[in-house]
Amino acid sequence: MLVKYALSVSLSATRDSSKTTAIVYKNDRSKLNRTEGIAIKDCIEEIGYSMDEFTESIDEIKKYKKGYNSMYVRSNVITWISAAITDEITCLDGLDE
């Protein structure tokens, strides 16, 4: 199913972002001012939420294949994807400040 594949790719990219952000924070923490450090820590947390939401979406898609109510499954997936996007935007907004 194309949706599951797209969600898997998004989850993989989000995991990569999480790893990269954590490495930057660990290696450059001493170079960051207090505000930058807080913003990056917040991003790590927000990216973690996004990973959870993409994982939940993938799990929900599996229910669709098992015959669960398709409108319910679709609604859940849309909600979790929206939340994941919001988390990513929140991270970027924090870095812009």
Side-chain angles (χ1 to χ4, degrees):
M1 181 179 278
L2 184 59
V3 172
K4 185 179 172 195
Y5 178 75
L7 290 170
S8 296
V9 169
S10 296
L11 176 59
S12 178
T14 303
R15 279 190 183 126
D16 290 345
S17 294
S18 177
K19 290 175 189 174
T20 301
T21 305
I23 289 169
V24 167
Y25 181 73
K26 180 181 176 186
N27 292 340
D28 296 335
R29 187 175 9 193
S30 63
K31 299 174 188 172
L32 303 172
N33 66 40
R34 186 177 188 287
T35 304
E36 292 167 336
I38 291 170
I40 291 178
K41 281 182 76 173
D42 287 347
C43 272
I44 292 169
E45 185 175 347
E46 295 293 334
I47 293 169
Y49 295 150
S50 290
M51 288 190 303
D52 293 343
E53 290 147 357
F54 283 125
T55 300
E56 289 290 338
S57 295
I58 292 167
D59 291 343
E60 196 70 10
I61 292 293
K62 291 175 187 173
K63 290 180 183 178
Y64 178 76
K65 286 184 174 181
K66 294 179 182 177
Y68 282 71
N69 182 320
S70 64
M71 295 205 38
Y72 178 76
V73 168
R74 190 175 336 164
S75 175
N76 285 342
V77 170
I78 289 168
T79 298
W80 287 320
I81 292 171
S82 175
I85 292 167
T86 300
D87 293 333
E88 305 257 348
I89 291 170
T90 300
C91 168
L92 294 174
D93 287 347
L95 292 174
D96 283 342
E97 291 178 4

